[in-house]
Amino acid sequence: MCINGYAAFYNLLKLKMTDQPDITIGIMDRKAEVFGGLHGNFHGDGLGYVSGHFSARAEAGNIIFFDEVHREIRRSPLIKLAAPEGSTFSLFNVPIGKRFHWERTEDQIFQGDLILQMRGDGTIAVINQIPLEDYLKSAISSEMNSAAPMEFLKAHTILSRSWLLAGLGRKKKIEKTSMTSGETADGERILWYDLEDHDLFDVCADDHCQRYHGITKIASRQVEEAVGETQGRVITFQDQICDARYSKACGGLTEEFATAWDNKRVPYLSSISDAPVPYPPIRTEEEACRWILSEAEAYCNIKDEGLLEKILPKGDRETKNFFRWRVEYSREELEEIIRKKSDLDFGTLKEIVPIQRGSSGRICRLKIVGSKRSTIVGKELEIRRWLSRTHLYSSAFVIATRRNPNGEVERFIFNGAGWGHGVGLCQIGAAVMASEGFTVEQILKHYFRGVEIEKMY
Ligand SMILES: [Zn+2]
Ligand SMILES: [Zn+2]
């Protein structure tokens, strides 16, 4: 069944779905060649039954599909391979953590159907089609360690399901040509990235949407249980499924929706204190400085390595000191990074000035001043991208400089707070809350104020 058929109903709780929808996930995109293996007898139009190793190559508007003895068995712009019950397929060298500091490639195994689709630019999109609840099992296992506390896994399942259904409903409503971001008339570079960026599939498999690294990471019965026990459940606000966002660690205060995405107020995505004590939202530069340079007590301020090990998947445990962090560059090094990332030549860097911050201290407009030009960059992800060879942990930072006797900057020092955009649920904070005995409902209502939990199917 097709997801789009349901899209119109997502935001109308009165019309509940009778069954879970299928979703399409872009596993790899814009590839010239694809290599993998079919574990079972897959069936495709025009190629009958096929199994074993395969490869596919883009050539003159077609995808050429080769079987395991490298015999061409199909030539078409669209190749759809339906999986028989209980079978899987592998894809080799799948890139993960694209452009982030944890970037690498992996061989991955998937359930469901495999679709290879030709793009207009002569490259191949590799798509997996799978029922939503099966997708969730893998996505939860990829995002967090399946040994994390049960109430946390359930909370994450409910929010991932909500985010996905709300996003698909919204995507249907938006015209393909609509701009989600862009350059303003006075030369500001204000960009953000959202679900609307995908055309041939519903979501991608990487951090941009929600991590989905195949079934290789489904290690525990706990995730199966978390998905099974919450089946069809979502969080809602005023009868609409919530666009439930989340990030790794808020840093003690969560962020508002508009700091990371579109300039609109989403009531259940406002800034909250992620601690047993109420911290007020950040309003001034002085408050931002004091907050970021402090070691506030917060759910995500966790030093217990044993608990962190249970919460985070292996790749993420290499990220240390995410609650408060520090990055330093020589001026020349930062000039080179910014030139490469922005495609703009600022000349000699003079200063970097926060223009606007959200309530967690995350900067959404940052002014970069050089000898040749000055530009304001935003929003939070674009700022993080410009100021690092990969990405800074977050845009909640204060900038210090070291100058030579002539007053010229020699070094830029960034002291920061948190990991990710900070909007919605704080994954590490929520896992800590679960380990302290909070229930799934208490956790969801702590991060998403005013919401209800409802069953959609
Ligand atoms: Zn995506
Ligand atoms: Zn937090």
Side-chain angles (χ1 to χ4, degrees):
M1 75 195 73
C2 171
I3 188 75
N4 292 334
Y6 288 95
F9 302 122
Y10 287 146
N11 291 331
L12 294 170
L13 279 173
K14 278 171 245 153
L15 294 168
K16 287 188 178 167
M17 290 175 250
T18 52
D19 198 7
Q20 60 174 312
D22 275 3
I23 68 155
T24 53
I25 309 119
I27 308 295
M28 294 193 278
D29 205 358
R30 302 186 194 283
K31 304 291 285 185
E33 279 185 309
V34 181
F35 299 92
L38 303 170
H39 316 296
N41 271 326
F42 281 64
H43 186 264
D45 280 346
L47 42 63
Y49 288 94
V50 56
S51 63
H53 277 89
F54 73 88
S55 61
R57 198 175 68 220
E59 196 182 290
N62 277 314
I63 297 164
I64 311 176
F65 194 86
F66 300 94
D67 67 5
E68 58 185 342
V69 293
H70 205 72
R71 194 175 48 184
E72 180 185 326
I73 55 171
R74 180 79 173 143
R75 190 178 280 247
S76 167
L78 177 69
I79 291 174
K80 196 170 171 184
L81 292 158
E85 188 72 35
S87 60
T88 59
F89 67 87
S90 321
L91 291 171
F92 304 144
N93 296 317
V94 179
I96 65 170
K98 237 167 145 183
R99 296 183 301 276
F100 285 89
H101 63 271
W102 53 88
E103 178 167 351
R104 70 197 71 189
T105 66
E106 280 187 348
D107 295 345
Q108 295 177 347
I109 302 171
F110 300 89
Q111 286 171 328
D113 300 343
L114 170 64
I115 300 166
L116 303 176
Q117 191 167 351
M118 197 72 198
R119 285 197 167 276
D121 66 359
T123 62
I124 305 172
V126 184
I127 299 161
N128 178 202
Q129 182 168 326
I130 187 169
L132 186 138
E133 297 292 315
D134 288 338
Y135 163 80
L136 283 175
K137 284 175 198 162
S138 177
I140 302 306
S141 303
S142 306
E143 278 286 347
M144 297 308 267
N145 190 327
S146 50
M150 192 59 185
E151 290 299 289
F152 165 72
L153 292 175
K154 284 192 208 164
H156 208 306
T157 306
I158 293 172
L159 90 88
S160 290
R161 190 183 288 113
S162 308
W163 169 81
L164 196 68
L165 290 176
L168 295 174
R170 192 175 67 243
K171 191 173 174 177
K172 178 77 177 163
K173 278 188 268 170
I174 292 175
E175 292 286 312
K176 281 273 181 332
T177 51
S178 77
M179 290 262 290
T180 53
S181 54
E183 189 155 359
T184 60
D186 50 1
E188 284 195 29
R189 287 272 200 104
I190 305 295
L191 297 163
W192 63 94
Y193 307 87
D194 221 330
L195 200 57
E196 290 80 38
D197 300 347
H198 299 310
D199 50 357
L200 299 182
F201 40 84
D202 299 322
V203 288
C204 69
D206 214 356
D207 296 272
H208 169 265
C209 284
Q210 184 157 269
R211 288 186 199 171
Y212 170 72
H213 297 162
I215 59 170
T216 19
K217 296 209 176 76
I218 294 187
S220 87
R221 208 169 285 163
Q222 266 194 299
V223 171
E224 297 260 350
E225 202 181 312
V227 174
E229 279 185 22
T230 65
Q231 169 150 0
R233 285 198 165 75
V234 295
I235 49 172
T236 62
F237 184 83
Q238 293 176 352
D239 278 354
Q240 299 223 331
I241 299 176
C242 294
D243 181 11
R245 306 283 167 140
Y246 61 90
S247 69
K248 274 272 138 52
C250 69
L253 285 165
T254 68
E255 190 48 77
E256 290 134 15
F257 180 83
T259 304
W261 299 287
D262 206 355
N263 284 329
K264 65 176 184 192
R265 209 182 83 80
V266 181
Y268 55 85
L269 295 177
S270 50
S271 179
I272 60 118
S273 164
D274 193 20
V277 288
Y279 296 116
I282 306 292
R283 293 284 171 248
T284 65
E285 272 308 297
E286 292 72 51
E287 287 174 6
C289 255
R290 218 177 308 131
W291 172 250
I292 290 167
L293 298 176
S294 75
E295 269 282 337
E297 183 200 349
Y299 291 123
C300 53
N301 185 4
I302 167 183
K303 293 281 160 15
D304 180 348
E305 282 288 325
L307 182 57
L308 263 187
E309 195 142 310
K310 272 201 214 152
I311 298 170
L312 296 176
K314 199 157 165 265
D316 283 343
R317 290 203 290 274
E318 291 150 28
T319 305
K320 303 280 181 198
N321 304 322
F322 48 79
F323 188 75
R324 293 292 181 269
W325 48 265
R326 180 188 172 96
V327 173
E328 272 192 62
Y329 301 107
S330 70
R331 193 200 70 224
E332 293 84 356
E333 190 184 2
L334 188 58
E335 283 165 0
E336 186 222 315
I337 291 171
I338 296 177
R339 192 161 49 237
K340 204 167 136 214
K341 291 297 196 74
S342 68
D343 275 325
L344 297 175
D345 184 6
F346 285 82
T348 306
L349 277 184
K350 302 280 187 200
E351 58 176 346
I352 297 177
V353 191
I355 302 295
Q356 193 183 343
R357 290 182 192 266
S359 300
S360 77
R362 282 172 174 78
I363 302 168
C364 54
R365 289 171 74 228
L366 180 78
K367 190 174 182 183
I368 300 177
V369 183
S371 57
K372 293 187 180 167
R373 65 178 295 152
S374 97
T375 295
I376 292 174
V377 56
K379 294 188 172 187
E380 67 87 33
L381 189 60
E382 196 66 356
I383 292 171
R384 290 162 61 195
R385 196 175 76 78
W386 279 29
L387 297 179
S388 161
R389 293 195 193 278
T390 52
H391 279 74
L392 282 182
Y393 283 178
S394 83
S395 74
F397 55 76
V398 288
I399 307 124
T401 52
R402 196 175 316 137
R403 291 171 190 268
N404 66 18
N406 300 328
E408 293 150 350
V409 178
E410 284 185 331
R411 293 189 78 74
F412 284 96
I413 302 135
F414 298 83
N415 283 290
W419 177 10
H421 54 64
V423 181
L425 180 133
C426 166
Q427 290 175 304
I428 289 169
V432 170
M433 285 181 78
S435 76
E436 290 179 4
F438 288 93
T439 65
V440 54
E441 190 168 356
Q442 287 171 322
I443 295 168
L444 288 171
K445 289 184 173 178
H446 165 71
Y447 291 105
F448 303 101
R449 297 291 157 93
V451 302
E452 298 299 332
I453 300 175
E454 300 202 42
K455 192 164 163 62
M456 288 296 287
Y457 50 82

